[in-house]
Amino acid sequence: MNIQSKDLLKISCSVSALLSIFAVFALSLVFSQSVYAEEFIPPRFLAQWGSQGSDSGEFERPIGIAVDGDDFVYVSDTGNQRIQKFTAQGKFVLSWGKAGKEVGMLDRPMHLKITPDDKIYVAEFANDRIQIFDLEGKSLALIGSSGKGAGEFDAPGGVGVDRQGRIYVADFYNHRVQPFSANYSALPQIGKKGRIFGGNFDYPTDVAIGPDDSLYVADGYNNRIQKFSPEGEFVTKWGGFLGTGLKGDSSGSFDVATGIEVDAQGRVFVADFYNNRIQIFNSAGDFLVEFGAQGNAAGEFDRPTDMTVDSQGNIYVVDFGNNRIQKFSALTAKTKHD
């Protein structure tokens, strides 16, 4: 055997060893999740409401959803430029908004956030602002303007508010999260455009705040979720194969993460748009359970965009392509007999 062939053999052995190590590492991750992550039963379908149209209770490309302290459900009916309010059973209550830039008007309302003081924060994609309403639709405040500077937006997609009143906005085309203090003063931005490293974003679509004020970001076209401390320091990320941002359809992977919600127990719900499902994780990013499939039957989705959880744990999903809202049972853990 000559020197060249020996070198090739060494390289081949090294590559094989690295692949073996990687395989063991990947298996250990799967095993650790199966051992340490609690197992759950996929939520079951309970009810649905809505169809395509512009009448009360109908939708045209709905995007965002939120519930208030009394379990009324609010939906951003994006194509109709309005917010609609429903009971937990899907009965229409009221709506507000029309296309425009004046106070009280809306232009592509996206994801929503309702705070304990009964304020609803609406991200307006085409108006480059956050508009705050009371729960009857009265406009209370406007935050932001068009641009790339501090406190400015280029198509905000989602908004979250922590226990201190700090506001976090997914600034879609600026590839960042723009925070504000409780008095609406701009704070230093979180992140910049990028793919591989933590803290970089590629069209972030939504944000959510955990019970401990941790910040979770749906890093849409990086096909992953990123978690930050309340001070904006990167903590962890999951999805986006090996940090490359590649999409996938296995559990824990995403094909455009469009919406995110965190429940009172710190569990993270993600709308997996093109995979037509909702995935649920613990606060560390361990996969717990998923539900949904492509279609228009009960329990199926056509590109879900958002979800929320009420005081009873029931889950409401915005079924974008089917122009409807679907309601599912609360998340429950498996017992020894399941």
Side-chain angles (χ1 to χ4, degrees):
M1 182 180 293
N2 57 35
I3 294 176
Q4 185 176 9
S5 61
K6 285 182 179 180
D7 290 341
L8 289 172
L9 180 60
K10 287 180 181 179
I11 292 171
S12 177
C13 290
S14 298
V15 170
S16 298
L18 286 172
L19 289 174
S20 297
I21 291 170
F22 175 77
V24 170
F25 176 69
L27 286 172
S28 69
L29 286 178
V30 173
F31 178 74
S32 65
Q33 287 192 5
S34 64
V35 170
Y36 297 111
E38 190 175 7
E39 294 187 82
F40 289 85
I41 301 169
R44 57 186 175 84
F45 171 82
L46 297 177
Q48 65 180 22
W49 69 86
S51 59
Q52 187 171 20
S54 57
D55 289 340
S56 297
E58 296 179 336
F59 302 109
E60 186 65 46
R61 302 186 304 278
I63 295 288
I65 193 166
V67 294
D68 66 19
D70 294 319
D71 287 341
F72 285 99
V73 181
Y74 302 75
V75 180
S76 57
D77 186 9
T78 304
N80 286 320
Q81 309 287 7
R82 65 185 179 184
I83 306 298
Q84 295 199 67
K85 179 178 180 178
F86 302 88
T87 67
Q89 293 73 41
K91 182 180 178 181
F92 174 80
V93 177
L94 61 85
S95 68
W96 70 85
K98 62 179 181 179
K101 298 184 178 300
E102 301 301 318
V103 173
M105 295 180 176
L106 298 165
D107 198 346
R108 293 188 68 183
M110 302 292 280
H111 295 286
L112 313 173
K113 173 63 181 178
I114 297 177
T115 52
D117 59 352
D118 291 337
K119 294 177 181 177
I120 180 167
Y121 292 68
V122 182
E124 290 190 66
F125 195 81
N127 273 337
D128 291 325
R129 68 188 183 191
I130 303 300
Q131 189 162 186
I132 306 174
F133 297 90
D134 68 17
L135 299 185
E136 302 302 311
K138 178 184 177 182
S139 182
L140 303 175
L142 301 172
I143 304 173
S145 58
S146 300
K148 299 182 180 300
E152 297 176 335
F153 304 122
D154 189 355
V159 57
V161 184
D162 70 13
R163 292 175 298 174
Q164 282 68 49
R166 291 175 295 202
I167 303 159
Y168 300 83
V169 180
D171 193 3
F172 188 76
Y173 284 119
N174 282 328
H175 304 283
R176 65 184 180 185
V177 172
Q178 176 64 69
F180 295 83
S181 66
N183 64 2
Y184 311 152
S185 299
L187 301 173
Q189 73 179 54
I190 300 171
K192 63 184 189 313
K193 183 173 175 58
R195 183 172 294 274
I196 296 178
F197 301 107
N200 293 335
F201 300 118
D202 193 20
Y203 302 102
T205 53
D206 195 14
V207 298
I209 308 298
D212 62 351
D213 283 345
S214 291
L215 170 67
Y216 297 83
V217 182
D219 189 5
Y221 290 86
N222 273 332
N223 300 297
R224 66 187 177 192
I225 302 302
Q226 296 200 57
K227 179 180 179 179
F228 298 83
S229 72
E231 294 73 37
E233 297 174 351
F234 173 75
V235 175
T236 189
K237 56 184 170 65
W238 64 91
F241 180 70
L242 292 181
T244 62
L246 292 177
K247 64 184 179 182
D249 58 8
S250 60
S251 297
S253 296
F254 307 105
D255 191 350
V256 185
T258 52
I260 189 167
E261 176 70 286
V262 183
D263 69 9
Q265 288 73 44
R267 295 174 299 216
V268 182
F269 295 67
V270 182
D272 191 2
F273 191 68
Y274 287 114
N275 283 326
N276 297 292
R277 65 185 176 183
I278 303 299
Q279 295 196 68
I280 308 174
F281 304 84
N282 66 19
S283 60
D286 297 318
F287 173 81
L288 301 179
V289 74
E290 64 185 62
F291 62 99
Q294 185 173 15
N296 56 18
E300 296 178 339
F301 302 123
D302 183 0
R303 294 161 293 164
T305 52
D306 202 3
M307 67 268 108
T308 193
V309 182
D310 70 15
S311 64
Q312 306 303 309
N314 297 309
I315 305 162
Y316 303 81
V317 180
V318 180
D319 192 1
F320 172 83
N322 286 321
N323 289 292
R324 66 183 178 183
I325 303 303
Q326 295 198 64
K327 181 178 180 179
F328 295 83
S329 62
L331 191 61
T332 55
K334 288 184 177 180
T335 66
K336 292 181 180 180
H337 301 291
D338 288 330

